[in-house]
Amino acid sequence: GQNIDQPTEMTATEGAIVQINCTYQTSGFNGLFWYQQHAGEAPTFLSYNVLDGLEEKGRFSSFLSRSKGYSYLLLKELQMKDSASYLCAVRRNQGGKLIFGQGTELSVKP
Amino acid sequence: EAQVTQNPRYLITVTGKKLTVTCSQNMNHEYMSWYRQDPGLGLRQIYYSMNVEVTDKGDVPEGYKVSRKEKRNFPLILESPSPNQTSLYFCASSSREYGYTFGSGTRLTVV
């Protein structure tokens, strides 16, 4: 089977750093993705990890540990516009099967 | 501009009346997929396609059909819609190496 867990909600302060965790159990792991989704809009791609380690992209970083089935998304210098849902997704095998977690609703407060 | 285009954006229909939601991508991507998104359930994959004439079921395929006759198009067909198919639908496409790029969504209401 497959299971992806991430916290339902998080709150952080503008200018701060927040870490959103994701744990997964799946067969045929072939990459982990993070997406951002504002209410009523389409998800947009943030980051991709297929090997262990940290991928940095401006204010956003993502980490993967395949042996632990664990990833996190790190958002630095938080801005109000970062208030959104953050979706962790795992790709299985070589095909187009991409399974999403239920998302973490992040609220950034002044 | 590279994009995934789905139509219509909004649709209200009655139970049992066949409908098609179109999806087209201009990035020459091999993979295409349909998702539905419901409160508390997140994004769930309905069907996906690895290339022309190659499709496979996702996690919630019941009540839906798809076809991939051309690389750029991947329509979603509801032969006999029911109220439990009221949802926000997203089409997406990707190359082998990267994740999906999503369309703007279709909000479907079945009454």
Side-chain angles (χ1 to χ4, degrees):
Chain A
Q2 57 222 7
N3 197 39
I4 301 173
D5 288 314
Q6 48 182 133
T8 305
E9 298 176 320
M10 296 183 72
T11 302
T13 305
E14 193 176 16
I17 299 172
V18 70
Q19 177 175 313
I20 303 174
N21 296 324
C22 172
T23 58
Y24 65 89
Q25 294 173 312
T26 188
S27 56
F29 175 84
N30 190 30
L32 188 141
F33 299 83
W34 284 96
Y35 284 82
Q36 180 191 62
Q37 186 179 26
H38 287 99
E41 298 182 7
T44 54
F45 170 81
L46 288 178
S47 70
Y48 168 58
N49 296 70
V50 67
L51 299 175
D52 292 353
L54 189 67
E55 294 284 340
E56 295 187 85
K57 214 175 184 182
R59 294 191 299 117
F60 295 81
S61 304
S62 58
F63 172 82
L64 175 66
S65 168
R66 289 171 295 168
S67 62
K68 295 181 180 175
Y70 168 70
S71 174
Y72 67 73
L73 179 70
L74 195 70
L75 292 78
K76 303 174 188 173
E77 300 167 17
L78 279 172
Q79 302 173 9
M80 299 299 288
K81 67 178 182 179
D82 296 330
S83 292
S85 184
Y86 290 85
L87 311 175
C88 173
V90 172
R91 183 165 63 189
R92 292 184 64 193
N93 303 313
Q94 293 291 331
K97 195 160 180 69
L98 186 66
I99 309 301
F100 283 83
Q102 291 201 21
T104 298
E105 192 69 37
L106 174 67
S107 296
V108 180
K109 309 274 186 216
Chain B
E1 182 189 350
Q3 59 186 3
V4 178
T5 303
Q6 55 181 110
N7 283 295
R9 289 293 308 275
Y10 300 92
L11 179 60
I12 301 175
T13 190
V14 296
T15 298
K17 185 177 181 183
K18 180 179 178 179
L19 68 91
T20 299
V21 185
T22 64
C23 176
S24 179
Q25 52 98 0
N26 63 0
M27 296 168 279
N28 201 38
H29 283 163
E30 294 95 343
Y31 299 131
M32 297 188 74
S33 183
W34 278 101
Y35 286 85
R36 61 178 288 175
Q37 188 170 36
D38 303 288
L41 296 175
L43 276 164
R44 293 180 293 167
Q45 197 168 32
I46 303 171
Y47 269 97
Y48 60 100
S49 169
M50 288 74 76
N51 216 321
V52 174
E53 303 290 4
V54 183
T55 63
D56 205 352
K57 296 177 181 178
D59 294 318
V60 287
E62 295 77 21
Y64 304 94
K65 283 176 57 176
V66 293
S67 68
R68 188 94 181 271
K69 293 184 171 58
E70 310 161 279
K71 198 170 187 178
R72 63 181 290 124
N73 295 323
F74 191 46
L76 179 70
I77 302 155
L78 285 72
E79 295 270 6
S80 183
S82 62
N84 65 12
Q85 293 178 297
T86 292
S87 186
L88 178 59
Y89 290 87
F90 288 104
C91 179
S93 74
S94 81
S95 62
R96 286 179 193 272
E97 294 80 23
Y98 300 107
Y100 281 114
T101 299
F102 285 81
S104 298
T106 296
R107 191 167 289 281
L108 172 66
T109 302
V110 184
V111 299

Coordinates of all heavy atoms in Angstrom, one line a residue, chain A residues 1-2 11 22-23 33 46 50 57 66 69 80 82-83 108:
Chain A
G1 N 0.8 -1.2 0.0 CA 0.0 0.0 0.0 C 0.8 1.2 0.0 O 2.1 1.2 -0.2
Q2 N 0.2 2.4 0.2 CA 0.9 3.6 0.2 C 0.3 4.5 1.2 O -0.9 4.5 1.4 CB 0.9 4.3 -1.2 CG -0.5 4.5 -1.7 CD -0.6 4.2 -3.2 OE1 0.3 3.6 -3.8 NE2 -1.7 4.5 -3.8
T11 N 1.1 27.3 11.8 CA 1.1 28.7 11.9 C 2.5 29.2 12.1 O 3.2 28.6 12.9 CB 0.2 29.2 13.0 OG1 -1.1 28.7 12.7 CG2 0.1 30.7 13.0
C22 N 7.0 15.5 6.1 CA 6.2 14.5 5.3 C 6.8 13.2 5.5 O 8.1 13.0 5.3 CB 6.2 14.9 3.9 SG 5.4 13.7 2.8
T23 N 6.1 12.2 5.9 CA 6.5 10.8 6.0 C 5.7 10.0 5.0 O 4.5 10.3 4.8 CB 6.4 10.2 7.4 OG1 5.1 10.3 7.8 CG2 7.3 11.0 8.4
F33 N 7.9 15.1 -4.4 CA 7.7 16.4 -4.9 C 7.0 17.2 -3.8 O 6.2 16.7 -3.0 CB 6.8 16.4 -6.1 CG 7.4 15.6 -7.3 CD1 7.3 14.3 -7.4 CD2 8.0 16.3 -8.3 CE1 7.8 13.6 -8.5 CE2 8.5 15.7 -9.4 CZ 8.4 14.3 -9.5
L46 N 7.2 23.2 -6.5 CA 8.2 23.9 -5.7 C 9.5 23.1 -5.8 O 10.5 23.8 -6.0 CB 7.8 23.9 -4.2 CG 6.6 24.9 -3.8 CD1 6.3 24.7 -2.4 CD2 7.0 26.3 -4.2
V50 N 15.0 13.1 -5.5 CA 15.0 11.7 -5.8 C 16.1 11.0 -5.1 O 16.0 9.8 -4.8 CB 15.0 11.4 -7.3 CG1 16.3 11.8 -7.9 CG2 14.7 9.9 -7.7
K57 N 16.5 26.1 -3.2 CA 16.0 26.9 -4.3 C 15.5 28.2 -3.8 O 14.3 28.3 -3.4 CB 14.8 26.1 -5.0 CG 14.7 26.2 -6.4 CD 13.6 25.3 -6.9 CE 13.4 25.3 -8.4 NZ 12.3 24.4 -8.8
R66 N 15.5 8.6 2.1 CA 14.8 7.5 1.6 C 14.7 6.3 2.6 O 13.7 5.6 2.7 CB 15.4 7.0 0.2 CG 15.2 8.0 -0.9 CD 16.0 7.5 -2.1 NE 17.4 7.6 -1.9 CZ 18.3 7.1 -2.7 NH1 18.0 6.5 -3.8 NH2 19.6 7.3 -2.4
G69 N 12.0 7.2 4.9 CA 10.7 7.6 4.3 C 10.3 8.9 4.8 O 9.1 9.1 5.2
M80 N 3.8 37.0 3.8 CA 2.4 36.8 4.0 C 1.9 35.9 2.8 O 1.0 35.1 2.9 CB 1.6 38.1 4.0 CG 2.0 39.0 5.2 SD 1.6 38.2 6.8 CE -0.1 38.3 6.8
D82 N 3.1 33.5 1.4 CA 3.4 32.1 1.6 C 2.3 31.4 2.3 O 2.3 30.1 2.4 CB 4.7 31.9 2.4 CG 5.9 32.5 1.7 OD1 5.9 32.5 0.5 OD2 6.9 32.9 2.4
S83 N 1.3 32.1 2.8 CA 0.1 31.4 3.3 C -0.6 30.6 2.2 O -1.1 31.2 1.2 CB -0.9 32.5 3.9 OG -0.4 33.1 5.0
V108 N 0.6 32.4 7.7 CA 1.6 33.3 8.1 C 1.0 34.5 8.7 O 0.2 35.2 8.0 CB 2.5 33.6 6.9 CG1 3.6 34.6 7.3 CG2 3.1 32.4 6.3

